[in-house]
Amino acid sequence: MSRSLLWLIALTVMAFAVGHSGALAAEVSQEATTALAQPAPVSSGIIVPVPVPTASPQAIRLYRSGNVLWIVSTVWGFVVPALIFFTGFSSRLRDLAQRIHPRWYLSLVIYLVFFAFVLFFANLPLDYYSGFLRPHDYGLSSQTLAKWLRDEFLTLAIGIIGGSLVLWIPFLLLKHARKRWWLYTWFASIPILVLITFVEPIWVDPLFNHFGPMQDKALETRILSLASRAGIEGANVYEVNKSVDTNELNAYVTGIGGTKRIVLWDTTLKEFNPDEVALVMSHEMGHYALGHAWKGIVVESFVLLIGLWVVHICVDWMIRRFGARTGVHEIGDFASLPLFMLTFSAVVFLLMPPLLVVSRDYEHEADRFGLEMTHENHSCALVFVKFVQHDLAYPNPSPLVEFFRWSHPSLGDRINFCNTYHPWLQGQEGRYSGYFQPMAGDQRPVR
């Protein structure tokens, strides 16, 4: 979720984490290859299933190396703030910031800038490998090194600006409400979290890529018709040039009121035919219509509350225990930021498996919504087969990997669901039938 749940939580509350396929297509089974060449076959009301493709050797290597990379990145994410704090380096950065400017807020911002650059360069080798070298090795990226560096430094700048705007909140509250600072910080974080969730796609994402009008006007009309059927009115459709960065595929629906927007990556439009694009967008519209963004904010707010309370309990104890060694003697000292970050990251790590369960459930609901709106079982299955092919996705991860890492159901499960979920063939209502608006010329019953 840089656009992850951790990033949102960190930037929103205390800037803890100051600043988230391809030309090489995967090999698939012969059955899946044959299925891709077929039209959507329905015989006597029975849908011919699309088989789950086998993973190619490249996809297997990507999956296995990704698991190792996840372990290394997770451990490194704990090691870096621990070293900065427990070696006393954070307190030396604080002293330097206070010598540059003695005023509390300005010295805090100067410290934040120093701390952000230390984190940036400490993480740069791993980020370079995971975000640039590795995607290029597997044919999943078209990004130049100059563009990658530009985006990295732009992310750093946004993190510093965002941190400067919110970091003072918890530390100021620590000065005036020592026992309840964590609760008051949580209250203050909720509107900030809402603001980030809906402003980031509109104001931040366009800093990285160009958002232009949809080139295929016929397809745009079809997408807007689907949006109207899903109860999403007044949205603008944008085509974003993500092909300068990646060969992977994506689309989304976001915003509220007059800021509603439907966004498709140009890579998605290139890879999928109109029926498949319609299926992809009906899934994304399902997220919007079912209120997953708002539900996600509630879940993230709950995580914030737990995390801040644990920080309140643990950080105070650790500072008393290690204050002489670290040069940080009270929790309200902004040099304790790395310890805040370390503790909060540990909480999020422990809570991540149940959060991923919620995320997978939302994705499954959106899959169901898309199928009920379009009745395109075959196109649905082919969309996920193409994800296996194009993004070198591993269709059937181990349960342990899925438990700790997967925010979406496995592609194997999603293909099987597309093959088997069709209550309308038995004359039954779908779960989300009440969400759909009748459209002119629509012969399907809307219940």
Side-chain angles (χ1 to χ4, degrees):
M1 300 125 14
S2 70
R3 318 279 198 271
S4 64
L5 173 63
L6 271 172
W7 186 89
L8 284 172
I9 290 173
L11 181 58
T12 301
V13 183
M14 316 173 181
F16 285 167
V18 179
H20 87 15
S21 275
L24 179 62
E27 300 171 14
V28 295
S29 64
Q30 181 60 44
E31 295 88 347
T33 304
T34 303
L36 283 171
Q38 297 174 347
V42 180
S43 178
S44 302
I46 297 179
I47 297 173
V48 177
V50 175
V52 177
T54 57
S56 71
Q58 297 99 321
I60 293 172
R61 288 196 299 271
L62 184 67
Y63 167 74
R64 291 175 177 171
S65 63
N67 292 333
V68 175
L69 181 61
W70 175 80
I71 294 172
V72 172
S73 299
T74 301
V75 173
W76 188 245
F78 291 119
V79 168
V80 172
L83 286 175
I84 293 173
F85 180 77
F86 288 107
T87 61
F89 186 63
S90 182
S91 62
R92 291 193 288 274
L93 288 179
R94 175 207 59 209
D95 294 342
L96 177 59
Q98 290 176 337
R99 286 197 298 271
I100 294 174
H101 205 292
R103 287 195 176 183
W104 179 79
Y105 175 73
L106 291 178
S107 61
L108 183 151
V109 172
I110 294 168
Y111 168 87
L112 174 63
V113 173
F114 290 156
F115 179 63
F117 272 94
V118 169
L119 281 182
F120 178 82
F121 286 107
N123 292 322
L124 188 60
L126 189 58
D127 289 343
Y128 174 66
Y129 171 74
S130 62
F132 186 81
L133 282 183
R134 189 165 177 266
H136 279 82
D137 287 344
Y138 286 93
L140 299 177
S141 177
S142 54
Q143 194 174 47
T144 65
L145 180 58
K147 178 66 161 58
W148 182 83
L149 286 171
R150 171 194 173 275
D151 288 354
E152 290 296 301
F153 279 102
L154 181 57
T155 301
L156 173 65
I158 293 171
I160 290 173
I161 294 170
S164 300
L165 293 175
V166 302
L167 186 60
W168 61 272
I169 297 173
F171 286 107
L172 183 63
L173 288 170
L174 277 163
K175 288 179 175 292
H176 300 286
R178 180 68 174 268
K179 292 183 178 180
R180 293 288 181 267
W181 72 270
W182 58 276
L183 184 60
Y184 300 148
T185 298
W186 178 70
F187 281 127
S189 73
I190 294 175
I192 300 173
L193 184 59
V194 172
L195 184 66
I196 289 176
T197 300
F198 291 102
V199 166
E200 182 187 0
I202 298 168
W203 298 105
V204 177
D205 289 351
L207 297 176
F208 295 86
N209 296 94
H210 174 69
F211 284 64
M214 188 88 172
Q215 300 300 309
D216 187 336
K217 295 304 179 182
L219 184 56
E220 179 183 34
T221 300
R222 183 174 178 180
I223 290 171
L224 288 173
S225 178
L226 280 172
S228 182
R229 181 172 172 80
I232 304 172
E233 301 289 353
N236 295 313
V237 183
Y238 293 91
E239 183 175 328
V240 56
N241 68 331
K242 286 296 289 188
S243 56
V244 301
D245 296 327
T246 182
N247 297 320
E248 298 182 80
L249 315 171
N250 200 10
Y252 56 87
V253 181
T254 189
I256 54 176
T259 67
K260 287 196 296 290
R261 54 176 50 195
I262 299 168
V263 179
L264 299 97
W265 290 8
D266 57 351
T267 53
T268 301
L269 294 169
K270 179 180 178 181
E271 184 66 20
F272 290 141
N273 66 42
D275 287 341
E276 292 162 352
V277 170
L279 201 290
V280 169
M281 295 316 303
S282 65
H283 167 97
E284 299 302 332
M285 292 170 190
H287 282 306
Y288 191 95
L290 297 175
H292 289 163
W294 293 108
K295 293 175 183 177
I297 289 173
V298 172
V299 172
E300 291 168 9
S301 298
F302 176 70
V303 174
L304 281 170
L305 182 61
I306 295 176
L308 288 168
W309 178 74
V310 173
V311 167
H312 171 67
I313 298 298
C314 295
V315 169
D316 204 16
W317 176 84
M318 284 189 281
I319 287 176
R320 290 196 304 269
R321 175 70 175 81
F322 299 103
R325 175 190 301 177
T326 63
V328 179
H329 301 284
E330 60 174 348
I331 190 174
D333 185 343
F334 53 75
S336 63
L337 180 62
L339 189 56
F340 278 48
M341 179 178 177
L342 178 64
T343 307
F344 201 91
S345 296
V347 173
V348 174
F349 175 78
L350 294 175
L351 292 178
M352 190 56 67
L355 293 175
L356 292 176
V357 170
V358 174
S359 176
R360 289 193 294 269
D361 183 62
Y362 288 169
E363 295 298 330
H364 183 64
E365 287 182 349
D367 287 347
R368 188 190 302 273
F369 186 98
L371 276 174
E372 291 183 4
M373 188 160 68
T374 64
H375 297 184
E376 296 288 348
N377 293 78
H378 194 76
S379 291
C380 175
L382 293 186
V383 162
F384 294 125
V385 168
K386 284 189 175 181
F387 274 114
V388 173
Q389 291 180 301
H390 195 269
D391 290 3
L392 297 182
Y394 196 76
N396 293 301
S398 75
L400 187 63
V401 171
E402 190 171 27
F403 179 76
F404 280 105
R405 293 191 58 203
W406 251 235
S407 61
H408 290 55
S410 72
L411 288 174
D413 288 345
R414 299 176 85 176
I415 292 169
N416 289 329
F417 181 72
C418 292
N419 288 330
T420 58
Y421 184 73
H422 35 68
W424 49 87
L425 293 183
Q426 290 77 43
Q428 299 174 1
E429 288 188 348
R431 182 176 300 180
Y432 305 120
S433 299
Y435 285 84
F436 305 137
Q437 307 298 316
M439 302 298 297
D442 189 356
Q443 301 301 314
R444 295 173 182 165
V446 179
R447 304 175 181 89

